[in-house]
Amino acid sequence: MESRLVKELRLRYEPVAVLLSNEKVEGALQSKEGQWSCTIPLMLAAAKGKTAVFERKTTGCIGGKVGLGFGQYPNYPGGIEYFLSVGKSGLFEGEGYKKNPELGADFVDCLPITDIPYQYVIFKPLSQIDASKEIPELIVFYVNTDQLSALTVLANYNRLGNENVMIPFSSGCQSVFLLPYAEGQKENPRAVVGLTDITVRPMVEPGMLSFSVPYKMYLEMEENIVNSFLEKEIWHKVTARMGN
């Protein structure tokens, strides 16, 4: 599948198509069962041209299972709300992302936690998608701040209001899959900016963030390039400094 946005934004990395399937992709990158692993490095591998696959038994991170739509948090030792906040003496240090356990519990309650009716979540470079056979759920861009700015403007270009893009507090995987997947179930979905999670920032290049859109919103954005700011001199002034 070709994307004009790749050219207009001068993307260094491939947009990543997220697919749901009950058929496993042979030869795809995958974490090993029984080992802790994070979703984000495999998402970044997809942005660099590889295909990655996730399933419940090989997604070793508890939060990652939730972030990929594999159901509710299990009984976290001591409580996930304590892990997100102040920790538990003698058990673990809290992340300090919420001031207290009550706010940690409220955060979990606000998540659109779901258990998808599929075995596999697949991250695949968009250029490798056969649109006649595969329909992605989401498209995830891995972008710098200039490119993020352009995507934010374009997401609002043909929509009422000025809040068609959200930057939620969430884990990296929640921002890449869970939250945009929930948006995709709505009549007028929003795009989701992600990878602001401090835990995953060391895995991400400085100045890079994600921008995830439900597939139907991505198609809208592709169609709206014509006559938009992306064809005007003001945007060309920005791309001139990207150096590629």
Side-chain angles (χ1 to χ4, degrees), residues 139-185:
I139 303 297
V140 182
F141 295 87
Y142 181 51
V143 292
N144 63 34
T145 51
D146 286 335
Q147 294 159 342
L148 177 66
S149 299
L151 287 168
T152 299
V153 175
L154 190 61
N156 282 278
Y157 175 71
N158 194 42
R159 294 285 188 94
L160 294 171
N162 61 354
E163 296 184 347
N164 295 292
V165 178
M166 62 186 295
I167 307 181
F169 165 68
S170 69
S171 69
C173 50
Q174 290 163 4
S175 68
V176 167
F177 180 82
L178 185 68
L179 293 168
Y181 178 73
E183 286 295 315
Q185 313 311 306

Side-chain angles (χ1 to χ4, degrees), residues 69-106:
F70 291 143
Q72 179 61 269
Y73 281 102
N75 293 324
Y76 191 89
I80 188 66
E81 67 271 25
Y82 285 90
F83 179 72
L84 291 167
S85 56
V86 298
K88 276 284 184 80
S89 179
L91 289 177
F92 53 81
E93 181 182 17
E95 291 183 305
Y97 292 157
K98 284 293 185 177
K99 188 172 184 178
N100 54 53
E102 292 74 24
L103 290 173
D106 176 75

Side-chain angles (χ1 to χ4, degrees), residues 64-136:
K65 288 181 178 179
V66 174
L68 288 171
F70 291 143
Q72 179 61 269
Y73 281 102
N75 293 324
Y76 191 89
I80 188 66
E81 67 271 25
Y82 285 90
F83 179 72
L84 291 167
S85 56
V86 298
K88 276 284 184 80
S89 179
L91 289 177
F92 53 81
E93 181 182 17
E95 291 183 305
Y97 292 157
K98 284 293 185 177
K99 188 172 184 178
N100 54 53
E102 292 74 24
L103 290 173
D106 176 75
F107 161 72
V108 174
D109 288 342
C110 289
L111 290 172
I113 293 174
T114 187
D115 197 339
I116 58 173
Y118 296 92
Q119 287 185 269
Y120 305 105
V121 178
I122 302 164
F123 286 12
K124 189 173 184 178
L126 182 60
S127 65
Q128 297 178 24
I129 292 292
D130 182 346
S132 67
K133 299 178 181 178
E134 300 171 301
I135 301 177

